[in-house]
Amino acid sequence: MATSHPLRIQIASYNFNLQGTTTPFPDLQRWLIPTLSETRPEYSSTSLTSGREAPDIYAVGFQELLPLHHAFADDQEAKEVRQHTAREIRRAVRHHAAVTRQDGVYPEGGGPEDYTLLAEVHLVSITLFVFGRNRSGVPQRLKEARVASASTGILNLLGNKGAVGVRLVLSAQGEGEDEVITLVCAHLAAHDHQVERRNADFKNIVSRLAFTPQSTLPLPDPPIAAPQTGEDMEKVKERYQQDVDSQRAIGTQKPSKPLDNQTYTLYDSHHAFFFGDLNYRLGLEGGKKNKEGKEGASSSAAGLSKHDVRRKVSQQDYATLAKHDQLARERQAGKTLQGFVEVDVGTAFGPTYKFKPQRREGKGKGKEGTGEGDAVKREKGDAPVKGQELSAKRVPGWTDRVLWASNGGQEQGEKTTGTTGAGSASVIPGRHGVHVELFRSIMGYTLSDHKPVTLLATLPRARQSNSNLAPYRLDGNYAAYRALGTLLDRLVGYAWCALVAAGAGQVLVGVAEVVVIALLSVWWLRTGGQQGGGGDLGYWFSSLAGRP
């Protein structure tokens, strides 16, 4: 039965540090069900008698999911890792209602959750999965799903940086119009001084991320309702056919046929989310100069040194650090993410980058990659352990972000209060109407130099599109950029995979072998044929040309 209440959506983002082939795969439950790590009374399992309600939509985005040679080549290994990751996500959230109860059992009338994969899209090592909760009827409401990608990496064409997006059209609940949700997972330029490059990356993403009619995905099969106690298979089949008929009734006679022939941008929706490893850091004193010789937003007028950062982090004075956040400054100056808002990260949690990664192994350390033992130590006030220490080699910052633009519920200038992961309130400017239930990072994960973040929010009723907020037009050459970028990605990937294979798994060894072979080949062409009378390079080429 379709939902009659506003949609609850969870946005989850994690820079996976190229560890997608790790065995065993890290347990994702603490990240995807973040209330398990909450100590506040309203989230405590002891106060829940019926289990916490699961989100209607999960948008799970990864950056650096795969080793880059597999990701660029998009080979069979890459496909298998993505399939396995999707299964691990579904497995992690399946027992949502039970694990949020103290007794670990399902509430009356409830059971394991089933989520349908509504859309999946990838660009090299950036991957986005979007799932709909079967119990709330989201898969049945799906009328259209489109996907898009935009590369902003090397040469502004390769997909080592860029964004992927999913555009969902859900049928209206009762009166009103269809609801359009756009979800974009991005990975922007690295290094603390590359502020202008990150701003340019966002501009290129808006200009090139085109949701075309040709990008429409086939709709998923209607979910089969779980059989009730004592129910025979004939009734289960009958309900399944009813689901199929209901799916067709919303205008999906041909599942892959687009609803219209227009091309849309990320702003052409009621609710747009932009999230991922955006790579904005803290602005330090003495920042690098821009092209005009002036200090950019990476510098701080008040001045902030690395020593200041370490001291403020140790004091957990995140509010002071947030005043030097590059993304906040660039947004307020209207240079990037125009029209988007977010929770004040300074009231939510500390910097999410750069930590010293540690692959957890051994008895008593908790599950691989989750660092459960570390989380316990931190709660007791012990010093940070491996995987939770900020690296002194990079300027830290809130690189991992979730922002949104929503034109439902409230007018420009209105305010609402949302609760952050730290238990404090955050007042967010209007033009959003989104109620933030929870926003936090998950410190216990130690496999990456980033900490994953997750946001749980309730969406307002759809009212009007965000199209009027768009700061840039769609580039007419977006298809050419995408085609050329894909070609370059594959060429780089095939060459890289060949080098890895030649080096028995080590790309540098493979490069060394190629160099040695090339040098030996040149030497042979110049000297190796002298016994036959003329083996130098010039003579060899002359022979190929048919000249004596």
Side-chain angles (χ1 to χ4, degrees), residues 68-74 488-498:
L68 286 177
H69 60 291
H70 291 305
F72 272 115
D74 195 24
L488 292 175
D489 287 343
R490 298 298 173 267
L491 291 175
V492 170
Y494 298 150
W496 198 335
C497 284

Side-chain angles (χ1 to χ4, degrees), residues 512-525:
E513 289 181 358
V514 170
V515 170
V516 170
I517 291 172
L519 292 174
L520 289 175
S521 299
V522 171
W523 174 82
W524 184 88
L525 289 172

Side-chain angles (χ1 to χ4, degrees), residues 192-193 195 198 281-289 295-310 312 321 323-326 329 392-397:
D192 57 297
H193 64 278
V195 179
R198 287 188 276 277
R281 316 288 174 82
L282 294 173
L284 302 186
E285 59 187 7
K288 294 193 176 183
K289 310 291 183 178
E295 290 188 346
S298 62
S299 294
S300 167
L304 189 69
S305 67
K306 286 188 177 181
H307 174 74
D308 295 330
V309 171
R310 289 193 294 270
K312 294 297 182 182
L321 290 176
K323 295 176 182 178
H324 301 267
D325 173 55
Q326 292 176 343
R329 292 187 171 200
K393 296 181 179 180
R394 293 288 187 273
V395 177

Side-chain angles (χ1 to χ4, degrees), residues 327-533:
L327 178 55
R329 292 187 171 200
E330 296 299 301
R331 270 200 318 111
Q332 291 166 6
K335 297 181 179 180
T336 191
L337 282 152
Q338 294 88 340
F340 281 82
V341 296
E342 64 175 337
V343 172
D344 180 3
V345 291
T347 65
F349 43 76
T352 59
Y353 174 89
K354 171 181 172 69
F355 289 84
K356 297 178 181 179
Q358 174 71 21
R359 181 171 175 173
R360 305 303 298 173
E361 293 179 347
K363 186 176 180 180
K365 298 289 187 179
K367 294 183 179 179
E368 177 86 27
T370 65
E372 289 184 57
D374 294 352
V376 172
K377 286 186 178 182
R378 293 294 289 147
E379 288 176 4
K380 293 180 179 179
D382 293 346
V385 296
K386 290 182 179 180
Q388 295 187 10
E389 299 175 80
L390 280 169
S391 170
K393 296 181 179 180
R394 293 288 187 273
V395 177
W398 287 273
T399 57
D400 307 275
R401 308 290 272 265
V402 181
L403 299 95
W404 65 90
S406 175
N407 258 327
Q410 290 180 295
E411 296 290 351
Q412 176 73 24
E414 289 187 276
K415 296 184 179 181
T416 189
T417 300
T419 304
T420 71
S424 53
S426 175
V427 180
I428 307 166
R431 206 180 262 285
H432 61 96
V434 172
H435 171 69
V436 178
E437 180 180 331
L438 183 72
F439 180 46
R440 62 167 299 174
S441 64
I442 314 298
M443 286 293 295
Y445 285 82
T446 61
L447 197 64
S448 171
D449 52 359
H450 290 253
K451 298 302 179 184
V453 297
T454 189
L455 177 139
L456 182 59
T458 301
L459 300 182
R461 300 288 186 182
R463 183 155 63 183
Q464 63 182 16
S465 172
N466 289 303
S467 301
N468 61 315
L469 301 178
Y472 313 111
R473 294 179 179 273
L474 191 65
D475 191 323
N477 297 315
Y478 68 83
Y481 283 119
R482 184 171 57 214
L484 182 56
T486 301
L487 175 61
L488 292 175
D489 287 343
R490 298 298 173 267
L491 291 175
V492 170
Y494 298 150
W496 198 335
C497 284
L499 291 173
V500 171
Q506 298 294 326
V507 66
L508 293 180
V509 175
V511 171
E513 289 181 358
V514 170
V515 170
V516 170
I517 291 172
L519 292 174
L520 289 175
S521 299
V522 171
W523 174 82
W524 184 88
L525 289 172
R526 291 182 61 86
T527 64
Q530 289 180 355
Q531 294 179 354

